[in-house]
Amino acid sequence: MATAEQQMLIDDLDTTSEQCKAVLNCLKNDKNIEEFEQLVLDLQALITKRQNLLNVLIADDSFVQRDYLERQLELTLILEVKAKLVMNSLHAEIHLGKKNQRQVNVYKSIDSDR
């Protein structure tokens, strides 16, 4: 059974984890660059908060809910995969944007040679 302090940490950790999932879903669907940058900053803050909460729980020798910590490890791995998917998608879009810009420059160069 968790103490009152541990339960507060668990509740805060669960809330923070849900917020991480929500921000990752927004990042996956949002293509607005200004909002994207703010969402990334928000995600970084949430991940840091989540890690600190986990560190406090793990450091508490009286916290013995192994199944809860195993679920948190699974969630961490899921969040990592989602973050990598968002990062890869953004990388592909940036690469595509650069390719399109090169094509535009080629067309401008051809047009100016006429």
Side-chain angles (χ1 to χ4, degrees):
M1 189 70 179
T3 65
E5 182 180 331
Q6 290 170 343
Q7 191 59 48
M8 285 178 28
L9 286 169
I10 289 170
D11 293 343
D12 198 11
L13 183 58
D14 290 342
T15 300
T16 303
S17 296
E18 288 303 314
Q19 291 170 336
C20 286
K21 288 180 194 177
V23 170
L24 278 168
N25 287 335
C26 287
L27 283 170
K28 190 170 87 172
N29 299 326
D30 192 356
K31 303 303 179 198
N32 184 338
I33 295 299
E34 293 82 27
E35 292 176 16
F36 193 89
E37 289 176 5
Q38 185 58 48
L39 287 171
V40 169
L41 292 173
D42 293 346
L43 181 61
Q44 288 174 327
L46 287 168
I47 294 295
T48 300
K49 179 180 178 182
R50 185 174 182 277
Q51 185 60 51
N52 290 337
L53 291 167
L54 280 169
N55 288 343
V56 171
L57 274 178
I58 291 169
D60 186 351
D61 291 336
S62 66
F63 186 74
V64 291
Q65 294 184 18
R66 179 185 174 118
D67 59 326
Y68 182 80
L69 292 176
E70 287 175 350
R71 284 195 315 269
Q72 290 305 312
L73 176 59
E74 290 172 13
L75 180 57
T76 298
L77 296 174
I78 290 168
L79 291 173
E80 181 181 7
V81 167
K82 286 184 176 186
K84 285 182 180 180
L85 289 172
V86 169
M87 184 179 67
N88 290 339
S89 173
L90 180 61
H91 181 71
E93 286 182 33
I94 289 171
H95 181 69
L96 181 62
K98 287 180 180 180
K99 180 181 175 187
N100 289 343
Q101 186 59 47
R102 283 194 303 268
Q103 288 175 339
V104 168
N105 289 341
V106 167
Y107 290 128
K108 284 181 180 178
S109 174
I110 292 169
D111 191 43
S112 68
D113 288 342
R114 288 184 187 182

